[in-house]
Amino acid sequence: MFRVLTMAAMVVLTAVTTPMAAQKAHNSKITVVFDQPLPNVPGKSMRGVVVEYGPGGFNPSHTHAKSAFIYATVLEGEIKSKVNGGPTAVFKAGDNWVEKPGDHHLVSANASDTKPAKLLAVFVVDTTDNELTTPDP
């Protein structure tokens, strides 16, 4: 009997945790707006990415390319963000923050369920890094 209950519990836990682990972006759009090699820093490029969130939009937790240093500025609305073990913060239009190489971005979302939000993320990254973001498994 215990064995049957244990197996049933494992099936339920798998069914509950799998969708969370495989979370996909919702109501968001990511556009690379520039990609420029840095002439005075061989092997490095600067890439600009606009992230647009519709109401309630978000991206799943993720890490960026290991070489990526990121400077982000909120252009419109309010963005909810959590990096590594830090607190969840809400950034308003004009606010900015940085992410260091190897940081884990746990929350990246529109703070509003009724208004859109937009940010510009500027990456300084190895020119050979083709994938800027890797969602968590």
Side-chain angles (χ1 to χ4, degrees):
M1 179 68 167
F2 178 74
R3 190 174 189 170
V4 171
L5 288 174
T6 302
M7 290 299 286
M10 288 175 60
V11 168
V12 169
L13 284 173
T14 301
V16 170
T17 58
T18 300
M20 291 182 343
Q23 189 179 46
K24 296 193 177 175
H26 169 72
N27 203 10
S28 71
K29 178 182 175 188
I30 300 172
T31 306
V32 176
V33 292
F34 65 85
D35 184 352
Q36 181 65 47
L38 295 174
N40 60 335
V41 187
K44 295 286 186 181
S45 289
M46 186 181 308
R47 295 186 187 142
V49 177
V50 172
V51 181
E52 300 173 85
Y53 294 109
F58 63 86
N59 284 313
S61 58
H62 57 272
T63 54
H64 294 286
K66 290 193 185 306
S67 68
F69 177 83
I70 303 160
Y71 176 84
T73 300
V74 178
L75 302 174
E76 174 186 339
E78 296 182 355
I79 302 290
K80 188 175 5 175
S81 181
K82 177 179 174 89
V83 178
N84 298 325
T88 300
V90 175
F91 297 92
K92 298 177 181 188
D95 290 345
N96 55 69
W97 69 92
V98 297
E99 293 180 37
K100 298 175 186 163
D103 280 352
H104 187 204
H105 206 152
L106 298 164
V107 175
S108 181
N110 187 341
S112 172
D113 288 330
T114 60
K115 298 176 184 173
K118 185 188 304 185
L119 69 89
L120 171 66
V122 177
F123 289 67
V124 175
V125 66
D126 288 347
T127 302
T128 57
D129 282 342
N130 295 319
E131 295 295 324
L132 295 179
T133 302
T134 303
D136 289 352

